[in-house]
Amino acid sequence: MSSYREERRADQAAERAQDREDRRLQYEAGLKAEQIRAEEKRRDADARRRQEQAEKKQRAAELQAKKAAAAAKRAKLIRWLKANPATLFVAFVMVASIVPAVLSQIGALTGATVAAPMAGLLAAMLEGGAWAITFMGKQAEDSGREPRKYRIGTWAVATVAAAVNFWHGLEAYGEHPWVAFVLGASSLFAIYIWDLKTHGSHGKTRAQKREDKARREHEAKRRKHHKPIAEQADKLKSALPYGAITDEQAFAAAWRIHTGAEPGLSAELYATATNAVLQLGAAFELGDNVRDELLQTGLQAAKFNPLPELTQVPESQAGIGPKPPEKSRETTAPGRSEDELKELLPDALAAAAELVAEGKQISAAGLAKKLQIRREDALRLRDLVVEQRLLHVA
């Protein structure tokens, strides 16, 4: 009996030990699961934090790119305004001229019992037609076609519009007739300003006009003094394909055909030069005391070239020597000074910001293109820009 109770107590003790072990294992499993969940939460928090940091950096980069692009646009606009102040004011004056002209024409037409919608369309026809023809003429001129008929049409339509405005001004402001002239001029002034902008500011300079005048005078004298040769040059040009030779080439060829010599020379001139040299030698022979020295001088004088600027080939007739080399007409424009480059530095920094915003490197070619300067100046300006950017970063 006692043995049974002991076994029973032993079984109960074993069961309690097993329960404690099970609870311990369960507790450890729960603790481990809690640790796993905590680790997962920590990893999730780290991932969210990294994601938030990445998104923050991306937003900052996008904001910086937007600021750089906006700064580049502002700098580009400021440079354009600095370089084109006339264009800005021309646009303002044109708007200030066109709007009153259209309103005056609408008032004139509605005053003549024309319905308001029709009056607006007719006014738009007059002013808009003038400007449509103007822009068609500009397009024709840019493509190399003759814009004369477009300019005539523009001024004809603008004159009709000006007449309508003038008539309306006389009726509406009879006590102040000068207002009629102002209204009439409003239809013409914008056209005149545009014409000055597109043609007056791009005409020939005084130097070019003087050169054209001198060239015409030279051509007239050439045809007057050398008429047969000029006619022969015209025949050569007409015989060859168009543009095959220039006027100067044709005249030089015609001169050689008629005289057998280079342009500007002839057999008579060679004979005159030879006779002059012989006469000079004969004059030297008159000196008895210094005969040898004079003869030597005469021989040297025979080698002198009386017309060096006209000789084309060495050792030509009559002892005329080679033509001295012509000085080059081309001169290298001096580069900008250090002070001028420093004045350009703010614009160069803005242009560099544009290049960076466009994903390009800060190169001399890029600066030269954006600032419209010579490449040599852009090379020096690029070094200043890089130096300034490094100082700013530091």
Side-chain angles (χ1 to χ4, degrees), residues 35-249:
Q35 292 176 349
I36 292 173
R37 286 195 295 271
E39 181 65 21
E40 290 177 352
K41 289 181 179 180
R42 187 186 63 79
R43 286 198 297 267
D44 292 342
D46 290 340
R48 284 194 301 271
R49 186 173 61 256
R50 287 193 296 270
Q51 181 67 25
E52 290 175 356
Q53 291 176 350
E55 292 176 353
K56 185 177 180 181
K57 289 182 180 179
Q58 184 178 1
R59 288 194 298 269
E62 292 176 353
L63 180 61
Q64 186 66 23
K66 290 181 180 179
K67 289 182 178 179
K73 289 181 180 179
R74 287 195 300 270
K76 184 177 181 180
L77 177 61
I78 292 173
R79 284 203 309 273
W80 184 88
L81 292 176
K82 288 181 179 179
N84 302 277
T87 302
L88 178 64
F89 284 100
V90 164
F92 171 75
V93 172
M94 287 172 60
V95 172
S97 176
I98 294 172
V99 172
V102 173
L103 295 177
S104 175
Q105 290 164 22
I106 293 175
L109 292 168
T110 54
T113 67
V114 177
M118 184 177 294
L121 292 175
L122 291 175
M125 178 194 71
L126 288 175
E127 289 295 329
W131 285 105
I133 299 174
T134 298
F135 292 131
M136 284 191 293
K138 183 65 169 62
Q139 186 178 10
E141 187 175 7
D142 292 340
S143 61
R145 291 181 283 119
E146 176 59 48
R148 185 186 303 275
K149 61 181 180 180
Y150 296 101
R151 298 186 69 184
I152 293 174
T154 296
W155 284 105
V157 176
T159 302
V160 173
V164 172
N165 288 338
F166 179 76
W167 192 279
H168 173 64
L170 289 178
E171 291 182 346
Y173 308 98
E175 297 180 357
H176 304 284
W178 59 270
V179 178
F181 289 95
V182 176
L183 290 175
S186 64
S187 290
L188 300 174
F189 191 69
I191 300 293
Y192 177 68
I193 288 292
W194 172 265
D195 194 63
L196 286 180
K197 178 66 175 64
T198 55
H199 296 92
S201 59
H202 302 289
K204 294 183 178 180
T205 62
R206 291 183 178 179
Q208 291 173 333
K209 291 179 179 179
R210 285 196 296 268
E211 183 179 356
D212 292 342
K213 182 180 179 181
R215 185 179 291 108
R216 289 192 299 269
E217 292 177 353
H218 176 264
E219 182 66 21
K221 290 179 180 178
R222 169 179 283 180
R223 291 188 173 277
K224 178 181 178 181
H225 297 158
H226 312 287
K227 185 176 180 180
I229 297 178
E231 292 177 352
Q232 181 65 48
D234 292 338
K235 293 179 181 178
L236 288 176
K237 287 189 294 183
S238 63
L240 294 173
Y242 176 76
I245 57 175
T246 63
D247 294 343
E248 293 297 332
Q249 291 172 338

Side-chain angles (χ1 to χ4, degrees), residues 2 28 38 68 70 106 112 173-174 203 207 235 244 257 275 280 303 305 330 366:
S2 60
E28 290 179 354
I106 293 175
Y173 308 98
K235 293 179 181 178
I257 291 172
N275 290 334
L280 182 64
K303 298 180 181 180
N305 187 354
E330 298 181 357

